[in-house]
Amino acid sequence: MSSALCSRNTGIARCAVSRRTVRVQAASWTKVGNTSELKSKGGKKVVEISGQKVLLVESEGKVCAVSNKCSHLGLPLVGKTAMFQAEVKDRCVVCPAHGTYFDLETGAVEGEWCPKLPNLPLVGKGPGAKPLPTFQVRVSEAGDIEVLA
């Protein structure tokens, strides 16, 4: 019985395989493209690494990698439709559905949590503010982009 729950901390991925077994696997660098390709796509590109969708973003000359799923409801930041096309502003990626700003380097919420949603009585805006998962990135002198996952 496999589980999709994995946590990535300090280069080690710990995945629950069943109730009794835990598989630990070291994270590794994965080549996901190059800077010229990223720039040709407008500075944003979604890649899949170990079954997880990761958003690469070039901002102010630096390449960052964050989860492509908003931490509020799991909606894509960059999807296949015009509705899901996150903007990059002030070194943050902005969720197109909720308007939350996530810092590209730390994943921390910057400013108001879900400003596009109403603050409903008793429930507010749903689950509390959660940071966006981030990934380490390195770029070679040749422009090859690698992500640690």
Side-chain angles (χ1 to χ4, degrees):
M1 175 195 299
S2 180
S3 173
L5 297 176
C6 294
S7 62
R8 286 172 170 64
N9 296 324
T10 64
I12 295 178
R14 180 180 172 159
C15 302
V17 176
S18 73
R19 291 183 181 173
R20 296 184 195 128
T21 307
V22 174
R23 180 184 66 194
V24 178
Q25 83 189 71
S28 60
W29 290 100
T30 302
K31 183 179 175 188
V32 292
N34 60 54
T35 53
S36 59
E37 176 190 13
L38 184 59
K39 286 180 184 178
S40 74
K41 294 186 178 251
K44 294 182 286 190
K45 177 185 175 187
V46 178
V47 296
E48 191 166 323
I49 305 171
S50 302
Q52 182 170 340
K53 299 221 186 239
V54 175
L55 174 61
L56 299 177
V57 177
E58 189 277 324
S59 176
E60 299 177 9
K62 183 171 183 177
V63 178
C64 298
V66 297
S67 172
N68 192 45
K69 288 182 7 179
C70 175
S71 60
H72 181 235
L73 293 176
L75 297 171
L77 295 173
V78 173
K80 295 179 181 177
T81 67
M83 182 178 157
F84 292 110
Q85 295 301 314
E87 293 183 65
V88 177
K89 295 181 182 176
D90 303 322
R91 301 272 312 136
C92 292
V93 62
V94 183
C95 175
H98 309 111
T100 302
Y101 281 62
F102 296 99
D103 184 281
L104 283 168
E105 290 187 45
T106 66
V109 174
E110 299 289 331
E112 183 182 354
W113 174 247
C114 299
K116 289 184 178 179
L117 296 181
N119 197 357
L120 301 172
L122 301 175
V123 295
K125 295 186 179 192
K130 292 187 280 186
L132 195 62
T134 60
F135 301 87
Q136 289 182 4
V137 176
R138 67 182 181 191
V139 180
S140 72
E141 289 184 25
D144 292 329
I145 303 169
E146 293 182 316
V147 175
L148 184 64

